[in-house]
Amino acid sequence: VIGVYDYVEDRYRTFCADNSDEFTALWDNRDLSVGFNNIPFDNAVISATAGWTAPLEAQCYDLLRETWLAAGLSATFHRKTHGGYGLDAMCEKNFGAKKSGNGALAPVAWQKGNYGEVIDYCLNDVRLTKQLFDAAYLYKPLKDPKTGGMLHLRCPVIEAVSAPAPS
């Protein structure tokens, strides 16, 4: 399952084996891929399982990597310093929202035929990632889940996507 939010069409979408060609077409018509740990993880998983060629890093915005940089850490994970900045921790600290499950359990649920559960889990992660990106895009500081301090994430200028209205 690949879950995405398409800013151009303003809608959430899911892609499975039966419509993976639509995902490829979507990617071919977009300038930027946004995710949370997408550069080292999601892009590799999608490339390995869907036969999709991952975009160049210049076409990707990785919220986890940008969070580390804003916290004064390197862009590469180090066990002693980089833990505690996961999607769950970031969203709970900033929005009071939590992930709906554990990604490690998703393959097991899928194998058991619990497709809806996995799709819901994926789309909830996409929703949380979108909340973080929308804040970063609007240059709103995010709370550091480890220190409580404020993080100012660098965010790319995107001409093809109009920013959501501030709430």
Side-chain angles (χ1 to χ4, degrees):
V1 173
I2 301 170
V4 302
Y5 178 80
D6 183 348
Y7 278 89
V8 173
E9 294 186 12
D10 190 26
R11 68 180 177 130
Y12 290 90
R13 299 182 65 184
T14 56
F15 302 94
C16 297
D18 66 331
N19 67 342
S20 63
D21 57 327
E22 292 178 35
F23 174 76
T24 302
L26 176 67
W27 171 252
D28 289 344
N29 290 302
R30 300 298 183 261
D31 296 328
L32 185 69
S33 171
V34 175
F36 196 94
N37 200 29
N38 55 317
I39 293 174
F41 183 75
D42 296 322
N43 290 356
V45 171
I46 294 169
S47 292
T49 59
W52 171 69
T53 302
L56 301 172
E57 281 196 34
Q59 296 171 291
C60 296
Y61 180 81
D62 190 327
L63 281 155
L64 179 58
R65 184 179 284 183
E66 295 301 327
T67 299
W68 290 337
L69 292 172
L73 303 170
S74 71
T76 306
F77 178 78
H78 298 286
R79 183 176 306 275
K80 292 181 181 180
T81 56
H82 286 60
Y85 290 100
L87 182 61
D88 203 35
M90 285 294 294
C91 289
E92 185 173 15
K93 187 71 169 183
N94 285 281
F95 312 119
K98 294 185 63 84
K99 289 173 55 90
S100 60
N102 181 328
L105 301 177
V108 175
W110 191 265
Q111 289 172 350
K112 289 181 176 180
N114 299 334
Y115 307 124
E117 175 185 334
V118 177
I119 290 169
D120 283 349
Y121 166 77
C122 289
L123 287 180
N124 188 56
D125 272 12
V126 171
R127 181 184 61 79
L128 294 172
T129 300
K130 180 184 180 305
Q131 279 187 278
L132 287 174
F133 179 72
D134 288 349
Y137 187 79
L138 295 172
Y139 301 105
K140 291 182 179 178
L142 294 167
K143 294 177 190 168
D144 185 317
K146 291 173 71 171
T147 68
M150 300 312 284
L151 299 172
H152 300 274
L153 277 63
R154 175 194 68 87
C155 195
V157 175
I158 306 167
E159 295 177 17
V161 178
S162 59
S167 51

